[in-house]
Amino acid sequence: MVAQNSILLIDHDASTLEFLLEFLKSEGFELGQAGSVAGAVSEIKKRDWDVIFLDLRASGRDGLGAIREIRLLCPDSPVVVMSGYASVQNAVEAMKLGAFDYVIKPFENDDLLKVIGEAIKGSAVRKTKPRSELKAARGAVETNRFGSIGNRIVGKSVVMQEVFDVANKVANRHTTVLLTGESGTGKSLIARELHNMSDRRDFPFITINCAVLPETLLESELFGHEKGAFTGAVATKMGKFELADKGTVFLDEIGTLSFQTQAKLLRVLQDKAFERLGGKKTIVSDVRVIAATNEDLNEAIEAGRFRRDLYYRLYVVGIHVPSLRERSEDIPDLIRHFIAKFNHKFSLNVKGLTSNATKVLTQYPWPGNVRELENIIERAMVLGSGDIISTDELPSHMFSESLPVQQTFRNRYIAFQEEERCLSNVIVDVERTMLEEALRQTGGHREKTAKMLGISRRTLQYKLKKYEMLDVR
């Protein structure tokens, strides 16, 4: 995106217009606005616009019909449809009428900027290519390839290339994918790119963070509810699985789902069918599910917190996203990527980092992964006064000379604790076995057992209680 690209906003909702004007102005765009399609027509006749945002319910005109008129007036301007969840199907119909893309209210800022960026590229393509080449050119704009610098995902390292290789193979399949890895590694970006590269990309991509919503609301968000299903259900509501028909649902933090919701999700994966809360009608929805977790689901299964059958349904294809510590060779490219991003966002001209600052960033263990790196680069650029980031702009804990030593010692201590735990478990098993054998030989007689082991009866009683063997005879 380039500063001063122009965007025309058409929306009857004053609050939405106010938000878009404030946010997009801060991003450097030249803006126009209209509260109705009729008002927008005069704006369109005055000048060319790089992108046009159209709310389907813009007052005074049928939204779908307005797309045809706008496309006739300015065929080189991509039209992005704005839609509420309840009218996703209309948004899909709008795509068939020539809309470039659509965004769902309420907006995610990053998603909005991504759509604008792609639309502006599409606008540039339209203005430089003959009509006969537009369809192929748009396909090139819309299709993102994993691993290319400048796209959503940066990564030249071997471990990331392995991730991209698997992702490329499954992107256009309808199979379920489970993304694993620490928080901040980019699982949500990979999920979105799996959708963008599939034949479902013209249909909704809906994200649910299972850890954020309380259990009482999560089931309603996923599957919807009928009017009167519970207190406060004043109207029928479509759930995310229903809204995402023919598209993709991304379930982040899948390990936090309750057993009850897990059972319903299992049925959706098996039969693509469900009922709204309080409803009896079975709803069928063709949805691809991509799930993500930062915890070990096998441990959750052993602890009785996650269904084994659901795990196998989700883990048709598993992609482990490595931590930034495992792909440190990608750090320089990521730094350049984030500097370019925030140069545009804040109208800055930062050129790079000092050698000391680069050394600090490459040696730091990055517990927060790529997300932490992005936040630190943004902080450094906002607080810095020059065009080079130095160690003065980095948090003090990052460039301690003893950091590598501290990290090595911490790793050694963790390993020691693990060895101690394993040894302790062995000792416990041996002692319990000896107690069981002594009790067997004495026929369960406590006093004789204590005497055989050379301990007091009180000590024996303590150990039997410790190992829950008081009922042993």
Side-chain angles (χ1 to χ4, degrees):
M1 284 179 280
V2 179
Q4 296 305 305
N5 283 120
S6 59
I7 302 175
L8 176 62
L9 306 169
I10 310 170
D11 198 325
H12 70 292
D13 185 349
S15 62
T16 301
L17 270 178
E18 182 180 358
F19 160 75
L20 288 172
L21 288 168
E22 181 178 352
F23 172 63
L24 296 178
K25 183 179 180 181
S26 70
E27 294 293 326
F29 294 104
E30 181 183 353
L31 303 170
Q33 61 174 308
S36 67
V37 174
V41 169
S42 61
E43 294 293 328
I44 291 170
K45 290 179 178 179
K46 291 177 185 176
R47 55 163 297 173
D48 292 330
W49 297 92
D50 291 311
V51 184
I52 297 174
F53 272 75
L54 169 68
D55 182 81
L56 286 179
R57 296 182 299 173
S59 59
R61 195 80 59 87
D62 169 56
L64 294 176
I67 293 173
R68 299 187 184 93
E69 184 172 354
I70 292 172
R71 298 288 292 120
L72 287 171
L73 289 170
C74 47
D76 291 334
S77 299
V79 178
V80 177
V81 167
M82 298 184 287
S83 172
Y85 279 124
S87 48
V88 167
Q89 188 57 46
N90 282 342
V92 174
E93 290 299 320
M95 298 282 289
K96 297 177 182 178
L97 294 174
F100 181 86
D101 207 339
Y102 66 90
V103 290
I104 302 296
K105 297 179 181 180
F107 306 115
E108 292 287 342
N109 291 353
D110 286 345
D111 292 342
L112 193 63
L113 291 177
K114 181 176 184 292
V115 170
I116 291 172
E118 292 176 349
I120 287 173
K121 290 178 186 177
S123 178
V125 167
R126 282 183 170 87
K127 292 171 182 176
T128 58
K129 296 282 186 180
R131 297 279 181 214
S132 60
E133 299 181 26
L134 285 181
K135 185 175 182 181
R138 182 184 172 187
V141 169
E142 289 185 336
T143 302
N144 297 316
R145 299 304 297 174
F146 284 93
S148 298
I149 302 302
N151 283 346
R152 296 274 299 193
I153 302 176
V154 176
K156 290 181 178 177
S157 60
V158 173
V159 289
M160 285 305 291
Q161 290 303 311
E162 291 173 353
V163 169
F164 299 151
D165 182 57
V166 176
N168 279 318
K169 290 176 181 177
V170 302
N172 205 32
R173 308 297 181 187
H174 294 181
T175 188
T176 304
V177 177
L178 179 63
L179 301 168
T180 59
E182 298 176 12
S183 293
T185 51
K187 297 187 294 294
S188 62
L189 290 180
I190 291 177
R192 179 171 287 281
E193 293 309 310
L194 285 170
H195 172 78
N196 288 342
M197 293 173 63
S198 74
D199 56 8
R200 295 173 178 262
R201 61 180 168 269
D202 289 337
F203 296 92
F205 176 86
I206 297 179
T207 298
I208 289 286
N209 189 322
C210 303
V212 172
L213 292 172
E215 183 59 32
T216 52
L217 294 179
L218 181 58
E219 196 171 333
S220 172
E221 284 295 310
L222 290 175
F223 308 113
H225 62 253
E226 297 291 345
K227 179 178 180 181
F230 51 84
T231 303
V234 296
T236 297
K237 176 184 177 181
M238 297 170 67
K240 299 299 190 290
F241 275 94
E242 192 171 352
L243 292 167
D245 187 31
K246 298 182 177 62
T248 304
V249 167
F250 174 48
L251 299 175
D252 202 4
E253 303 299 345
I254 189 75
T256 62
L257 288 180
S258 70
F259 246 72
Q260 179 181 349
T261 307
Q262 287 177 39
K264 290 197 172 185
L265 177 58
L266 180 63
R267 184 190 172 199
V268 174
L269 293 174
Q270 290 174 333
D271 305 329
K272 298 188 180 297
F274 56 92
E275 289 84 33
R276 296 176 187 151
L277 285 177
K280 297 181 179 179
K281 178 184 176 183
T282 297
I283 299 169
V284 176
S285 183
D286 175 19
V287 171
R288 182 189 194 179
V289 172
I290 300 174
T293 181
N294 59 12
E295 67 173 308
D296 189 331
L297 290 186
N298 283 305
E299 289 185 2
I301 290 170
E302 295 303 319
R305 293 184 286 106
F306 203 83
R307 294 178 62 111
R308 190 179 300 274
D309 49 1
L310 176 58
Y311 174 75
Y312 291 137
R313 281 285 178 177
L314 292 171
Y315 199 77
V316 177
V317 174
I319 299 177
H320 179 73
V321 186
S323 66
L324 191 52
R325 297 182 299 282
E326 300 172 83
R327 47 179 295 215
S328 57
E329 59 266 49
D330 287 332
I331 291 176
D333 285 334
L334 286 164
I335 291 172
R336 285 190 287 271
H337 172 76
F338 292 134
I339 287 177
K341 174 180 177 179
F342 295 121
N343 271 339
H344 167 72
K345 181 174 182 179
F346 300 120
S347 298
L348 298 172
N349 189 32
V350 173
K351 295 181 173 62
L353 291 80
T354 64
S355 58
N356 284 340
T358 301
K359 182 178 179 181
V360 169
L361 294 182
T362 53
Q363 290 183 345
Y364 183 66
W366 297 110
N369 292 295
V370 180
R371 185 183 297 130
E372 183 183 10
L373 173 60
E374 180 178 10
N375 292 340
I376 283 177
I377 295 298
E378 180 177 6
R379 174 187 184 276
M381 293 177 67
V382 170
L383 296 180
S385 55
D387 59 359
I388 299 293
I389 297 172
S390 71
T391 54
D392 293 337
E393 282 81 53
L394 301 180
S396 59
H397 70 274
M398 293 191 66
F399 52 89
S400 167
E401 292 182 0
S402 61
L403 180 63
V405 176
Q406 293 173 355
Q407 188 66 23
T408 300
F409 184 82
R410 185 184 300 116
N411 292 340
R412 287 172 57 198
Y413 184 64
I414 291 172
F416 166 75
Q417 288 179 311
E418 180 64 19
E419 291 177 6
E420 186 180 42
R421 185 183 66 80
C422 293
L423 181 59
S424 176
N425 290 340
V426 171
I427 293 173
V428 165
D429 290 341
V430 171
E431 185 174 37
R432 181 183 177 93
T433 300
M434 293 180 69
L435 287 171
E436 290 174 344
E437 178 61 19
L439 286 167
R440 187 185 65 79
Q441 291 188 25
T442 62
H445 196 286
R446 304 290 172 83
E447 189 170 341
K448 290 181 181 180
T449 301
K451 187 175 181 180
M452 176 183 289
L453 294 171
I455 59 178
S456 68
R457 182 167 180 171
R458 177 175 293 180
T459 300
L460 175 65
Q461 189 74 6
Y462 164 77
K463 290 183 178 295
L464 294 178
K465 183 177 181 180
K466 174 183 176 182
Y467 297 126
E468 299 179 349
M469 298 172 60
L470 291 175
D471 294 331
V472 175
R473 294 289 186 270

